[in-house]
Amino acid sequence: MASLIRVVRKKISSSCCSSSWAVARTLRVRNGTLGFASRGYAEVAAVKSPFESNILRVLRNEIEYQAEYAPPHQPETKFNSYTVEERPGEQVITLKGRFGDREDIKIEATMFDGYEHITVPGDDSSGADVRLHLSLLVDISKGEGGSELEFVCSAWPDCLDVEKVYILRRGHMPTRPFLGPNFRDLNPKVQEKFREYLDTRGVNDELAAFLHDYMLNKDRIELLRWMDSLKSFVEK
């Protein structure tokens, strides 16, 4: 797990570095919004031990470096017909939308939860790179209290794959329900029609690309929020 985090962090940092985002001194996250402010070390009023002072110095320098190296931007709140609900401090986001007059669609997407190695020709460093992965649940319902169609999907930077499809009966599910076969075991024509069904509702490769860009930014926000919380705790 530690090696995965290091690889993912390396990938995220290199992806963010090419951005033209404005440089900020220190990220401050309050009430789910972003703000930038400079805060000097001398503002810490309480007298600290040498050990605590050293921790604060290291954290302050790291926050400043991270904020200047690849500062995040304000998260998007819309994607096509979907509303994006940021969930500060959590590893998921939620998208909500409607299709037609009857269907409510809810999508829950994780932050990066895996990767695969890919070969990069001509890369003098190692000849290999990583391709990040995230997961999402797509729930499609028709009215309160009815059944839901749920898709379990994998999102890569350039494509979205369906792994499972379920029929859920909220409040009426048996103890051990039959949830159907793996999606890839279905007849290819059935698979194709379900992909068309999702594509019509905006659940497609374009959504996968949007989620990857969003999560790259969220990863930066959460990292800075986490370090700022550590610093605030030590300052007390």
Side-chain angles (χ1 to χ4, degrees), residues 116-159:
E116 66 178 7
H117 288 288
I118 57 175
T119 301
V120 182
D123 187 346
D124 295 332
S125 59
S126 64
D129 204 343
V130 295
R131 187 168 177 245
L132 299 175
H133 172 272
L134 56 87
S135 302
L136 58 152
L137 290 177
V138 181
D139 290 332
I140 302 173
S141 61
K142 297 181 179 181
E144 293 289 339
S147 299
E148 292 184 6
L149 195 60
E150 181 173 85
F151 295 86
V152 180
C153 303
S154 291
W156 299 95
D158 55 352
C159 66

Side-chain angles (χ1 to χ4, degrees), residues 28-186:
R28 304 292 293 173
V29 183
R30 289 191 175 90
N31 299 322
T33 61
L34 299 182
F36 298 96
S38 177
R39 185 176 184 185
Y41 184 57
E43 291 180 36
V44 181
V47 177
K48 299 295 181 184
S49 69
F51 180 73
E52 289 177 318
S53 297
N54 188 53
I55 292 177
L56 286 171
R57 178 181 58 81
V58 171
L59 285 172
R60 179 175 60 89
N61 290 341
E62 182 65 13
I63 290 171
E64 183 174 301
Y65 168 76
Q66 293 290 343
E68 290 184 353
Y69 179 67
H73 58 77
Q74 191 73 30
E76 299 290 337
T77 58
K78 295 281 292 184
F79 170 73
N80 293 340
S81 61
Y82 289 97
T83 299
V84 183
E85 298 179 359
E86 166 65 1
R87 292 161 67 169
E90 296 189 33
Q91 298 186 52
V92 296
I93 65 168
T94 302
L95 292 83
K96 291 183 178 179
R98 287 184 62 83
F99 182 77
D101 297 329
R102 299 183 58 197
E103 291 185 4
D104 292 305
I105 303 175
K106 182 176 76 169
I107 302 170
E108 289 189 310
T110 68
M111 294 179 69
F112 300 117
D113 57 7
Y115 71 99
E116 66 178 7
H117 288 288
I118 57 175
T119 301
V120 182
D123 187 346
D124 295 332
S125 59
S126 64
D129 204 343
V130 295
R131 187 168 177 245
L132 299 175
H133 172 272
L134 56 87
S135 302
L136 58 152
L137 290 177
V138 181
D139 290 332
I140 302 173
S141 61
K142 297 181 179 181
E144 293 289 339
S147 299
E148 292 184 6
L149 195 60
E150 181 173 85
F151 295 86
V152 180
C153 303
S154 291
W156 299 95
D158 55 352
C159 66
L160 186 142
D161 297 326
V162 179
E163 303 293 340
K164 286 275 193 179
V165 56
Y166 305 133
I167 285 287
L168 303 180
R169 296 174 178 84
R170 301 295 184 186
H172 303 283
M173 291 292 288
T175 304
R176 301 187 65 182
F178 175 73
L179 297 175
N182 288 327
F183 187 78
R184 292 180 180 85
D185 293 336
L186 294 172

Side-chain angles (χ1 to χ4, degrees), residues 15-21 71 73:
S15 299
C16 292
C17 186
S18 60
S19 168
S20 60
W21 298 330
H73 58 77

